[in-house]
Amino acid sequence: MKEEKKVLTEKVIKRLTLYHCILIQYIESGLEFISSPQIAFLLGIDNSQVRKDIKAVNNTGKCKVGYNVRELKESIERTLGFKKNKDAFIIGAGNLGSALSKYDDFSNYGLNILAMFDSDPLKVGITINKKQIFHISKLPDLTRRLNVKIAILTVPRQSAQNCADFIINAGIKYIWNFSPVVLKVPEWVHVWNENLTSNFLQFIVNDEVRNDD
Amino acid sequence: MKEEKKVLTEKVIKRLTLYHCILIQYIESGLEFISSPQIAFLLGIDNSQVRKDIKAVNNTGKCKVGYNVRELKESIERTLGFKKNKDAFIIGAGNLGSALSKYDDFSNYGLNILAMFDSDPLKVGITINKKQIFHISKLPDLTRRLNVKIAILTVPRQSAQNCADFIINAGIKYIWNFSPVVLKVPEWVHVWNENLTSNFLQFIVNDEVRNDD
DNA sequence: TAGATTGTTAATCGATTAACAATC
DNA sequence: TAGATTGTTAATCGATTAACAATC
């Protein structure tokens, strides 16, 4: 029996991780059940939306009481693969790269930073939060030996494309790109553009939070 | 004549900032015009989508040549308010907070970090990238004096809700929340949940980039 | 001219919301 | 029982894609 392969849209995944946060808070409060209207209220969304999302993680609830908090948390973790290790390298040991290497929350979701890379000889050899900084020239060898497919790109925008070319050539297939640059990559390489400021603008643009009001 | 108030959806804003990145790259390459199929190809989207988005920033192109790169860049910046200052405080001078305070790219989009706040006496008084760390107790006074409405919340998840309550009480209206917690806030406070790991999962979940394949 | 592109409308697709029978 | 909730289908809404006349 072939395992059913479900495609979860980005919006569903974002909501599921928010449900997951809520569930952790419920568990800490000692609560055992949560209903779809409760989740919906906390997030300001529709309750049938919540039930549909929960259906997508193969969880069932009980009439009148709702969903078992621990079971639902497990279901979300299983569906989103929190327990499956996703190894990654950080490229660029600047401010953002260093901060991400110390960001322990990643490991709760199965994302492990194995090492960092930089071209600055002064940074090479330093260890940040148990992650060593290697010279970028060491990346091809380590990518192959450790079978790493994911790179977190936090280099200055001027060197982002060169860097991308280099790491793709070394075998990287997934680039989580923090540089505000649109990278040109082969069709078999996946890029996720994490433009933090863009995310911020999505938040405030329509509300016109300006200093001059 | 009242200025037309357009609501831009999050997806449109995200695409516009990507177009903006492409335009900068075009300008650096000395190119003067760009067409919708060119933009569409670089981003892997439909070209009529691009034309619709560009229409939303009140820019017009020329048949056969496309859009003037500099003009289009200006139009996007005007629509998204890059030139309008958006002052913000960072709450929590940990790894992520410190990194964001040094993230100079923010200023290109009009986001200014004025100061940082922390409850740790050892951090208070330190200056990071010209931004001073104040004790959190100083926030209400400074929020009012500087008329700051935006806070970037980078505190540990355990203290996030308390922190949110405190800064909302001090007058903060917009919270860019980097803690993996769903905050309970009054209806007049806006929260944007920036769960980095959630963003990452949106990127890789459907592709099953696991170590065990 | 021929061909590429814009601007715009219509068609399609997908996501959200409403509604409600079944359940406990 | 009465009332709250689930699970699911139908209706609505919005976003993307297709199509094409107008333009240069």
Side-chain angles (χ1 to χ4, degrees), chain A residues 35-37 51-52 55 60-64 66-67:
Chain A
S35 69
S36 61
R51 290 196 294 280
K52 268 212 173 126
K55 198 194 169 193
T60 55
K62 287 187 200 166
C63 278
K64 268 200 88 171
Y67 304 88

Side-chain angles (χ1 to χ4, degrees), chain A residues 19-34 67-75 77, chain B residues 157:
Chain A
Y19 303 167
H20 188 261
C21 291
I22 291 172
L23 293 169
I24 289 171
Q25 292 166 265
Y26 260 62
I27 289 171
E28 285 173 352
S29 310
L31 295 164
E32 243 191 296
F33 288 92
I34 191 165
Y67 304 88
N68 179 294
V69 167
R70 282 168 198 279
E71 274 178 22
L72 183 52
K73 178 169 167 281
E74 284 289 322
S75 299
E77 290 176 357
Chain B
R157 52 181 299 284

Side-chain angles (χ1 to χ4, degrees), chain A residues 2 4 6 9 38 50 57 60 95 101 130 147 165 170:
Chain A
K2 195 164 136 261
E4 190 182 347
K6 249 174 236 155
T9 64
Q38 283 173 323
V50 175
V57 299
T60 55
N95 296 320
S101 78
K130 293 177 200 145
N147 192 30
D165 294 342

